[in-house]
Amino acid sequence: MRTTRIEIEGRQGCYATISRRRGSPDIEVVILTPKCPDGTTLEVTARGDADSENARRRFARNLHRILEGCEGANGDVEAYYHEVERFAD
């Protein structure tokens, strides 16, 4: 089994789709918000090294901020990190 896409919802009207194309070195996240209804695409590396893991943690913190509209506590951000990490090497 291979998960190809995860859709998540933050506060009302804020959504993200996390995916990774087969063979791609990056995880792609499309973010839809009321301020950007056409979507914004962000990418983060999928490599398995420690620096890449730290980059994904920072990415998850930013994704939480965008979708929830506030800074998250560690547990809040960890939930977002877990979803992004599903697509990592």
Side-chain angles (χ1 to χ4, degrees), residues 18 27 45-48 52-54 56-57 79-89:
I18 306 169
I27 299 165
T45 184
R47 287 191 324 249
S52 298
E53 181 179 326
N54 289 334
R56 288 190 296 276
R57 286 194 183 281
Y80 278 80
Y81 172 74
H82 179 71
E83 297 306 327
V84 172
E85 194 66 11
R86 289 177 187 264
F87 295 94
D89 290 340

Side-chain angles (χ1 to χ4, degrees), residues 10-22:
R11 66 179 184 248
Q12 186 173 357
C14 297
Y15 306 90
T17 301
I18 306 169
S19 63
R20 181 176 177 197
R21 294 189 179 133
R22 190 178 300 269

Side-chain angles (χ1 to χ4, degrees), residues 17-64:
T17 301
I18 306 169
S19 63
R20 181 176 177 197
R21 294 189 179 133
R22 190 178 300 269
S24 174
D26 296 320
I27 299 165
E28 182 178 279
V29 180
V30 178
I31 301 170
L32 300 162
T33 65
K35 291 182 180 180
C36 192
D38 292 331
T40 300
T41 301
L42 304 174
E43 293 182 342
V44 65
T45 184
R47 287 191 324 249
D49 58 65
D51 288 339
S52 298
E53 181 179 326
N54 289 334
R56 288 190 296 276
R57 286 194 183 281
R58 288 188 305 272
F59 186 88
R61 183 168 300 282
N62 187 46
L63 183 58
H64 178 277

